[in-house]
Amino acid sequence: MQLKSVLGLVLATTLAVPALAQERGGTLNFARYDGSRLIDPIYADRNPDIWMVGSLFDTLLRGSADGNSVEPGLAEAFSVSEDGKTVSLTLREGVLFADGAPMTGDDIVFSLDRARNPDLSPWAGLLGSIDTVSADGNAITIALKDPDPTILSMLATFNTAIVSKAAFETAAGETDQDKSAAIFASTSAGVGSGPFYLCGFEQGSSMDFCANENYWRNGADGKPLPYLEAVHFEIIPDDATRILSLQAGEVDAAEFIPFSRVAELEADSNINMQLYPSTRIIYSPINTRDTRADGSPNPLADARVRQALNYATNKDALIGVVLHGAGQPMSSPLMAKATQFSTDLSPLYAFDMEKAKALVTEAGLEQGTEVTLTTLAGSADDSTIFAALQQMWAPLGIELVVEQVDGATRGAKNRSGEFDIHTYGWVNDVNDPSQVVGWLGYTPTAKAVGTGWENAEFNTLFEEAANEMDPEARKVKFAKMQELYANAAPLLFMYETPFAVALRTAVEGYVQTPLGNNIFDEATVSR
Amino acid sequence: MSSLNYIFKRLLMMVPTFFLVMVIIFLLVRMLPGDPAIAMAGDRASDADIQAIRERLGLTEPMLVQFWLFLSNTVQGDLGRSILMRTDVMDVIVDRLPVTVFLTVYSVILSLLIAGPLAFVAALNRGRWPDAVIRTIFQIGLSMPVFYIGLVLLTFLAAQLRLFPVGGYGDTFSEKLYHLFLPSVTVALYTSAIIMRNLRSAIIEVLDAEYVQFARAKGLPSRLILGRHVLRNALISTVTLLGLSIGNLMSGTLVTETVFAVPGMGRLMLEAIFARDYPLIQGLTLTFAVLVSFVFLMTDVFQSRLDPRMRLQ
């Protein structure tokens, strides 16, 4: 017994030696394309905010590395009752907020009640199944109205991150949002328990994260994470300037590298060009309504024409010219490959011009039919996509014309249906397919991403899957939805793209997750 | 006394100008397709969410009511709340204004420093090679877009030679001079090209004037002639030109601040337009209008100092 523990100690010491060499300290300088405005779990509604929530706040559960299951987070244990209507969690002992105040069950109840309040959070709908949240000491109980297969994933999602109740009670301001803004502006350490706390903020210019010395997770050396002392963010909206800043050594990392620059940076021995797998898909909604907004008949209402467009689109060629090879064709019509329950239907509409021509002939498409592609003004990618599609679709007798608008206009057109086809993209916020499938295919949510496509069987399957607790049965339903959607082709299925981040070789351990979250927990920088 | 009176009169005359500016900007932002509620809620929000935001922003009120609110609040110094920044427009502008003013003033000084001496050299060597070289170089400068010059300067002077920082703004005055040098040069190159051409022909004209010939005939030293007679008279049209090009300089900041990652009003304006942030667009435009009007006024006052024939009326 004694020998065993001595041996254990020796072993532990031996193992710990190389780990102790873990580089600690220093500041990582990170160049971003856009700044955060308010990093609060429930008010974060833009990617530059959402993707930083995990650095300042913690969730009860954490997504696993492969993204397909959840692991303990602030809750060291969790279970779902037999009937699927109660989730029990045990809050980890001794968790502190960054200012040293202890986290209690009250904070959990406060945070989750806040997160599911539809008057406050734009994300409240994702937590619609929750009936009550209660705490008894460290025991947290979430009672559900109906069984919800997504609830555990939701507890690992940014909008359910835990905030300090005390911080909100003492903050200035009348409404919850005012208080949140006041806390953010004060760069206070007392609101979150993530690996960092906000310690500097210059609107539109820069932002600083300082290490939370009370963070509960340990690094490879047995001491608390993070390894870094601080992260300094510079906002450099211009792509070329952001890269120059990295090349000049002013920053250690630069995100959103345009794909046209990837090869050049890969060749640079001082730079580690990373392409992180993502859940980002680039696709183009096709208006499926019988008539266009101006009342004229819509040639794209015929599914065969939409299928023809997909067959006539050479995805590999598009990936070549737009992404310079850094991407892959969509393999599921409804989600990125990395999403749970994605069915691999690849090759999805493999390039086949003969088939495409046969389909348009069958559909009786008139030669010289004019179709408008709405693109983002100023987007080099969109311009290339237009030029490529114009050529690829010409053999079908389609005359593709372009209409360039800005993002807000494109959004308005998507809503009103005043478009034929427009470019679009998506990144999952939640590690569950229901969000993206609800967006792309389920009619009541957003008219199937504005296409007007409506399929009763699909909608029923989606509603059933929302209450299906058996993962296998749920997977079958999602598989069927993907099959239906692929055949109906309400989209031009294009490709998936990675997150391109260029780092100096001195930087290690930085990760951008498939959901886009920037993770600095285990990042190091050697000087 | 008369000068103060004049300034006061001019300030009064600005009131209708600003009113017109406000009418135009109010209508312009609302004529843009896409509304701030959609931009704010994101593409994924439901129609009910959008409607709720529209009501909260007061966009469901009749246009006249919206305009009256905008007008009366502005007069009271309240520019509203920025949708994008989630804070008062006035605070955002107070935060960003010094950056843009610094950049603009710096550019004006640099363009004078570049254009002034070279205009003299060109004018005094009229028709000979230094004149040709200077004019050719400036012609090239005039025909290149601002963002392109900016990127070229960044690539060579900042990224490769590391003489200047690529981005940022700096904290102390000298740091700001250093950080904003490249962006200011970029803006200044275009303006200095215009000034150089104008100043050169003005100097040539003055050199041929009878009073200069007379001064020469009197045997005055040429330094005195150039300084007291030529420069002063040639500057009159240059000051006008500089005042008029302030609009150009300001619009140049939209591009320059984005390329050089300078957190000023120009970059903010672009962001505000993309987000359809009506209050912020209105506030920024009004601020730009005030700045330009102020510069025009200063130009007129300064001109009368240079040329007593232009009495202030």
Side-chain angles (χ1 to χ4, degrees), chain A residues 167-400:
Chain A
F168 273 83
E169 277 174 348
T170 53
E174 292 196 357
T175 64
D176 185 86
Q177 184 157 2
D178 286 348
K179 284 169 182 277
S180 175
I183 292 170
F184 189 72
S186 71
T187 61
S188 125
V191 70
S193 66
F196 297 90
Y197 64 92
L198 183 74
C199 58
F201 186 76
E202 295 270 342
Q203 180 69 268
S205 162
S206 68
M207 177 167 81
D208 290 281
F209 285 176
C210 293
N212 167 13
E213 287 170 11
N214 300 311
Y215 190 52
W216 62 271
R217 282 173 66 220
N218 281 341
D221 55 2
K223 288 187 224 155
L225 286 173
Y227 300 127
L228 289 170
E229 208 166 279
V231 187
H232 174 76
F233 299 96
E234 280 289 334
I235 295 147
I236 309 181
D238 188 79
D239 291 341
T241 313
R242 203 159 57 246
I243 294 172
L244 282 174
S245 192
L246 176 75
Q247 287 171 329
E250 283 176 27
V251 295
D252 304 307
E255 64 174 1
F256 282 92
I257 303 296
F259 293 111
S260 57
R261 303 288 301 273
V262 166
E264 167 201 341
L265 293 172
E266 268 170 351
D268 189 330
S269 62
N270 297 315
I271 286 170
N272 168 17
M273 184 65 234
Q274 284 282 349
L275 298 172
Y276 296 104
S278 84
T279 56
R280 182 166 58 190
I281 48 177
I282 307 295
Y283 58 90
S284 297
I286 305 175
N287 191 348
T288 68
R289 295 166 185 84
D290 288 338
T291 52
R292 287 167 157 153
D294 62 4
S296 64
N298 178 10
L300 305 174
D302 192 323
R304 289 169 297 189
V305 177
R306 301 195 301 268
Q307 290 167 345
L309 295 182
N310 273 292
Y311 278 121
T313 304
N314 186 338
K315 271 69 79 178
D316 292 323
L318 267 190
I319 291 169
V321 293
V322 182
L323 307 178
H324 299 262
Q328 50 185 349
M330 282 172 73
S331 60
S332 153
L334 278 168
M335 58 189 87
K337 196 180 250 168
T339 316
Q340 216 180 339
F341 301 148
S342 109
T343 315
D344 189 353
L345 295 176
S346 63
L348 191 60
Y349 288 98
F351 176 62
D352 188 339
M353 191 51 85
E354 290 319 307
K355 213 168 188 174
K357 281 182 183 165
L359 279 164
V360 290
T361 313
E362 200 186 311
L365 186 79
E366 265 178 59
Q367 286 293 307
T369 299
E370 199 171 280
V371 171
T372 305
L373 179 71
T374 306
T375 63
L376 277 189
S379 159
D381 285 3
D382 276 15
S383 303
T384 315
I385 289 172
F386 165 70
L389 290 182
Q390 193 182 37
Q391 283 186 26
M392 288 175 186
W393 294 352
L396 302 181
I398 286 175
E399 205 174 298
L400 192 66

Side-chain angles (χ1 to χ4, degrees), chain A residues 37-101:
Chain A
R37 305 215 207 285
L38 176 60
I39 308 176
D40 177 303
I42 71 162
Y43 296 121
D45 56 2
R46 303 160 53 254
N47 286 339
D49 293 330
I50 296 173
W51 294 350
M52 289 294 168
V53 169
S55 287
L56 305 182
F57 302 90
D58 254 334
T59 43
L60 288 167
L61 303 176
R62 299 171 61 82
S64 62
D66 68 358
N68 288 335
S69 61
V70 289
E71 293 170 352
L74 285 175
E76 58 187 0
F78 60 96
S79 63
V80 182
S81 68
E82 195 76 6
D83 65 356
K85 289 177 80 170
T86 310
V87 183
S88 310
L89 306 113
T90 313
L91 176 61
R92 199 173 287 277
E93 200 67 52
V95 174
L96 304 176
F97 286 103
D99 66 350

Side-chain angles (χ1 to χ4, degrees), chain B:
Chain B
M1 187 58 200
S2 74
S3 165
L4 277 179
N5 247 335
Y6 170 79
I7 292 175
F8 182 72
K9 266 191 205 153
R10 278 287 301 267
L11 286 175
L12 269 185
M13 278 163 61
M14 279 183 196
V15 173
T17 312
F18 288 147
F19 179 79
L20 264 180
V21 166
M22 288 176 76
V23 171
I24 292 168
I25 192 62
F26 179 85
L27 291 177
L28 265 186
V29 290
R30 278 160 183 80
M31 273 161 61
L32 290 171
D35 78 37
I38 295 181
M40 189 179 170
D43 293 343
R44 301 175 193 179
S46 70
D47 289 345
D49 290 344
I50 306 260
Q51 191 53 28
I53 294 175
R54 291 181 59 86
E55 272 165 30
R56 192 149 52 82
L57 296 176
L59 297 174
T60 47
E61 301 280 347
M63 282 286 214
L64 271 177
V65 175
Q66 286 187 46
F67 184 69
W68 169 248
L69 281 175
F70 170 46
L71 196 65
S72 57
N73 288 339
T74 305
V75 170
Q76 293 166 43
D78 176 9
L79 291 174
R81 222 177 140 75
S82 161
I83 300 167
L84 190 67
M85 300 294 173
R86 301 175 200 250
T87 161
D88 285 345
V89 169
M90 199 54 120
D91 292 348
V92 182
I93 290 176
V94 166
D95 200 36
R96 301 287 187 101
L97 181 64
V99 182
T100 300
V101 170
F102 194 105
L103 182 65
T104 311
V105 172
Y106 198 2
S107 311
V108 169
I109 294 172
L110 282 178
S111 46
L112 284 176
L113 286 179
I114 298 169
L118 290 174
F120 262 98
V121 174
L124 295 175
N125 292 291
R126 181 176 8 158
R128 274 172 286 165
W129 69 264
D131 185 27
V133 170
I134 290 170
R135 289 171 67 192
T136 310
I137 291 175
F138 276 100
Q139 193 57 45
I140 296 171
L142 257 184
S143 49
M144 282 202 288
V146 173
F147 72 91
Y148 180 73
I149 298 178
L151 280 178
V152 168
L153 288 178
L154 271 181
T155 308
F156 289 107
L157 298 180
Q160 291 191 358
L161 299 175
R162 312 239 167 132
L163 293 175
F164 295 97
V166 175
Y169 179 48
D171 294 321
T172 63
F173 182 73
S174 54
E175 259 180 46
K176 285 186 171 73
L177 280 183
Y178 178 56
H179 273 89
L180 291 185
F181 183 75
L182 285 186
S184 303
V185 166
T186 307
V187 179
L189 281 182
Y190 185 83
T191 325
S192 63
I194 300 177
I195 294 174
M196 201 289 296
R197 286 207 309 199
N198 180 273
L199 192 56
R200 174 184 167 276
S201 45
I203 293 170
I204 289 171
E205 205 175 297
V206 178
L207 281 175
D208 290 344
E210 286 179 2
Y211 61 88
V212 173
Q213 311 244 339
F214 179 69
R216 279 219 183 97
K218 259 196 341 188
L220 283 178
S222 61
R223 197 192 305 158
L224 198 69
I225 298 174
L226 286 179
R228 184 171 298 170
H229 298 288
V230 178
L231 182 64
R232 182 165 179 153
N233 285 295
L235 266 183
I236 297 169
S237 67
T238 307
V239 166
T240 317
L241 192 69
L242 201 58
L244 289 176
S245 62
I246 195 75
N248 254 333
L249 277 169
M250 294 260 167
S251 62
T253 61
L254 260 75
V255 177
T256 321
E257 288 181 356
T258 306
V259 170
F260 288 90
V262 177
M265 296 205 309
R267 203 177 105 195
L268 190 64
M269 182 70 137
L270 277 187
E271 291 176 39
I273 292 170
F274 283 129
R276 299 288 188 275
D277 189 340
Y278 292 177
L280 191 53
I281 302 174
Q282 288 167 177
L284 284 169
T285 314
L286 205 57
T287 313
F288 276 121
V290 170
L291 284 178
V292 170
S293 308
F294 177 74
V295 170
F296 282 179
L297 176 61
M298 291 303 293
T299 311
D300 287 352
V301 172
F302 197 62
Q303 238 173 12
S304 73
R305 300 266 148 185
L306 280 174
D307 187 353
R309 284 174 303 179
M310 299 192 190
R311 276 207 210 112
L312 299 175
Q313 282 167 358

